[in-house]
Amino acid sequence: MKKIQRYVDMIEEELCGAKDYAEMYVSKKAKGSQWANRFHSMAEDELNHAEVIHQLAMEEIEELNKVFQAPVEIEEAWKKSHKEYVEKAAWVRQMLAM
């Protein structure tokens, strides 16, 4: 289960980076800076990293569930993490659509 927690931490790290870059994108775009597109691209890269790690975590959880039933607290922690991932990724995508 430590592996899943590591994935959760990695996803959070990537999303934080994506959010930071997206905020820089919005700021640079508002100023008409040539750097806006670079920050947009960097934010998308971070979102892609988070998506890959998220998919990997989901696959591993499915494999684990075939072998044994995870404790309720672990399932709840993953559900919470998954919900946060979906919400944060959507927020970053919304900023990038500006």
Side-chain angles (χ1 to χ4, degrees):
M1 294 304 144
K2 288 184 180 185
K3 184 186 276 188
I4 302 302
Q5 182 59 51
R6 177 70 179 127
Y7 290 148
V8 168
D9 294 342
M10 291 169 68
I11 292 166
E12 178 65 23
E13 184 179 320
E14 297 293 341
L15 286 174
C16 284
K19 182 178 175 275
D20 290 343
Y21 291 140
E23 288 172 351
M24 290 296 292
Y25 160 71
V26 171
S27 173
K28 297 297 182 191
K29 185 174 181 181
K31 295 176 183 176
S33 173
Q34 65 187 9
W35 291 97
N37 288 337
R38 292 268 179 117
F39 283 105
H40 188 281
S41 177
M42 291 164 59
E44 285 181 331
D45 288 345
E46 295 292 291
L47 275 178
N48 289 336
H49 299 162
E51 176 64 23
V52 168
I53 298 165
H54 183 259
Q55 288 176 353
L56 177 61
M58 287 179 41
E59 285 179 16
E60 291 202 19
I61 288 170
E62 287 177 22
E63 290 297 315
L64 286 172
N65 284 336
K66 290 177 185 176
V67 178
F68 71 96
Q69 182 65 33
V72 173
E73 57 272 2
I74 292 174
E75 285 185 22
E76 289 175 0
W78 172 250
K79 286 179 184 178
K80 178 183 176 202
S81 173
H82 175 74
K83 181 181 180 210
E84 289 175 3
Y85 162 77
V86 170
E87 290 172 354
K88 288 179 183 180
W91 177 247
V92 171
R93 286 186 186 97
Q94 188 174 7
M95 283 193 287
L96 294 177
M98 294 181 170

